[in-house]
Amino acid sequence: HLLCEVARRMSDCIRKSDTLARLGGDEFVIVCADASLEGTAAVARKVIESVSRPFLTDGHQLTVTPSIGIGLFPQDGHDFETLLKHADTAMYRAKESGRNAYQFFAREMN
């Protein structure tokens, strides 16, 4: 139930032209077509703000601390697998910085 609600909130943060998918477990991917650097950061901030609000599930209040990694086309990769790998690397950097954060991929992270 919690993952469905997280997905709903995330879906409310993106445009109809964007894609949201669950990779597995608690990992999601958002593909923002034709988004600027500022637009991508704005989506990340909206997702963090929305998903960080408490969830009420079966009488329990639950909190989620999202960590978002961002890979940009074409500078961070020319194919989905490379972009996903770099976004994953950036996500782990966001987790290390205290969660409830987003991080753009940088070559120095490898």
Side-chain angles (χ1 to χ4, degrees):
H1 183 69
L2 178 62
L3 288 172
C4 289
E5 188 60 23
V6 167
R8 187 194 62 74
R9 287 189 189 181
M10 290 176 69
S11 181
D12 290 345
C13 296
I14 62 174
R15 305 168 298 183
K16 291 187 187 305
S17 60
D18 298 332
T19 301
L20 169 65
R22 181 172 167 224
L23 293 179
D26 62 352
E27 291 190 341
F28 293 85
V29 65
I30 296 174
V31 177
C32 297
D34 300 320
S36 67
L37 186 69
E38 296 81 16
T40 304
V43 169
R45 286 191 299 271
K46 282 174 61 175
V47 167
I48 290 170
E49 180 182 321
S50 179
V51 174
S52 295
R53 290 192 323 265
F55 293 88
L56 186 59
T57 303
D58 295 329
H60 301 282
Q61 184 172 313
L62 306 172
T63 55
V64 174
T65 54
S67 299
I68 300 174
I70 302 170
L72 299 172
F73 175 84
Q75 59 264 42
D76 297 331
H78 291 282
D79 58 77
F80 180 76
E81 289 79 20
T82 303
L83 286 168
L84 185 61
K85 177 183 163 206
H86 289 160
D88 195 53
T89 299
M91 179 196 63
Y92 281 103
R93 184 64 59 95
K95 285 183 182 215
E96 290 170 5
S97 71
R99 300 177 186 247
N100 269 350
Y102 67 93
Q103 181 75 50
F104 284 92
F105 175 76
R107 296 270 175 223
E108 304 80 51
M109 292 178 181
N110 278 340

